[in-house]
Amino acid sequence: MTITVINPNGSASMTKHLEQGCNDMVLSHHTLEFQYCANSPLSIEGFSDGAAAAHHLADYVKHREQSGMYTAGYVVACFDDTGVDAAREYVQCPVVGIGEAAMQFASLLGSSFVVMTTLQRSVPIIERNIERYGLRHRCAGVFASNIPVLALEGKPNNYDKMLTVSREALSNRFGEVLVLGCAGMSQWQEKLQEDLGVPVIDGVKSAIKIVAALSDLGLNTSKALSYAYPEQKHESMP
């Protein structure tokens, strides 16, 4: 059975990097396919990028489902969990965002975690999600590395900057786990974990494992609210 990993932005090269980074994953009953939303912004940095990308992601999932293309589940490969809720309305199978997956994994490995994202304008989006997921008491802080999303590709010199700001954030906030706050940072997970000496969580692989587990257990997205009152779906509000 196939798990579909969707990059909500419009970068084919980043999607290829994500695919290459998952080549070593061991999945008992699943294979992986990687897609991206060609008409989306090339990077998702801020609310406006997220709104545009969420539209294209939901549209992609909707048309895919209508065409009868089966998938065991979807992974949304943007740490903002862009369009996850909208996608869940269109499908029965699990839909998991890498942001929530990474933070849930981190909460199992230490009493506090630090999120390191790209630019400052992504911080309030992630902080809002943390509140929604009920993880505020486990998160020691969300920090911006000031490395733009597209600068993560093919620029190894940025690793030293990422290492420095991550070490400072963990030390200053007494963080026990580092969460990579962008799918494009996945390439640095193993090296950062070695250099920092703490667990470092890659949301892409975390979300893939969660979708695989949900699929193996026969668990799907709940449709209780979607189907409870179908006759009222198009009624106008009083």
Side-chain angles (χ1 to χ4, degrees):
M1 294 187 290
T2 299
I3 295 172
T4 303
V5 181
I6 307 178
N7 176 8
N9 74 33
S11 173
S13 61
M14 177 172 287
T15 307
K16 188 65 176 178
H17 280 303
L18 296 180
E19 182 174 4
Q20 292 171 345
C22 292
N23 283 339
D24 61 345
M25 290 194 71
V26 177
L27 298 169
S28 299
H29 306 111
H30 299 89
T31 58
L32 300 174
E33 67 168 341
F34 290 77
Q35 305 289 341
Y36 68 101
C37 298
N39 294 320
S40 285
L42 288 178
S43 63
I44 300 173
E45 296 167 304
F47 289 100
S48 58
D49 288 338
H55 165 74
H56 292 297
L57 174 89
D59 195 52
Y60 173 85
V61 171
K62 177 183 177 181
H63 284 91
R64 182 186 175 98
E65 290 294 307
Q66 289 176 341
S67 69
M69 296 177 65
Y70 176 79
T71 188
Y74 292 94
V75 168
V76 178
C78 174
F79 197 85
D80 296 351
D81 292 341
T82 302
V84 167
D85 292 322
R88 284 174 177 162
E89 290 189 349
Y90 289 124
V91 301
Q92 296 276 356
C93 63
V95 180
V96 177
I98 68 170
E100 184 173 15
M103 290 187 282
Q104 293 289 1
F105 268 43
S107 70
L108 299 174
L109 298 174
S111 61
S112 64
F113 62 84
V114 164
V115 177
M116 186 59 64
T117 187
T118 51
L119 302 181
Q120 185 61 37
R121 59 177 173 265
S122 294
V123 171
I125 299 172
I126 296 170
E127 289 180 333
R128 180 181 296 183
N129 286 345
I130 289 169
E131 291 285 353
R132 180 185 171 202
Y133 301 150
L135 293 171
R136 173 52 61 193
H137 65 297
R138 306 300 293 272
C139 181
V142 181
F143 298 89
S145 64
N146 293 316
I147 304 172
V149 172
L150 298 181
L152 297 171
E153 298 182 52
K155 296 186 183 298
N157 291 340
N158 279 326
Y159 175 80
D160 292 336
K161 182 177 182 179
M162 179 70 176
L163 176 63
T164 298
V165 295
S166 296
R167 181 176 283 127
E168 290 175 354
L170 288 164
S171 177
N172 292 339
R173 295 298 182 93
F174 303 100
E176 297 183 3
V177 181
L178 178 69
V179 174
L180 300 179
C182 177
M185 296 175 176
S186 298
Q187 59 186 314
W188 293 335
Q189 184 266 331
E190 292 184 3
K191 186 166 175 54
L192 281 169
Q193 185 163 273
E194 179 181 350
D195 290 342
L196 292 171
V198 300
V200 177
I201 311 300
D202 164 26
V204 178
K205 291 183 178 179
S206 300
I208 289 170
K209 287 292 189 179
I210 290 175
V211 169
L214 292 172
S215 174
D216 287 344
L217 291 169
L219 297 173
N220 288 313
T221 298
S222 175
K223 295 300 174 183
L225 293 180
S226 300
Y227 297 140
Y229 306 103
E231 71 281 358
Q232 298 182 11
K233 185 174 180 62
H234 300 292
E235 289 182 3
S236 60
M237 294 294 290

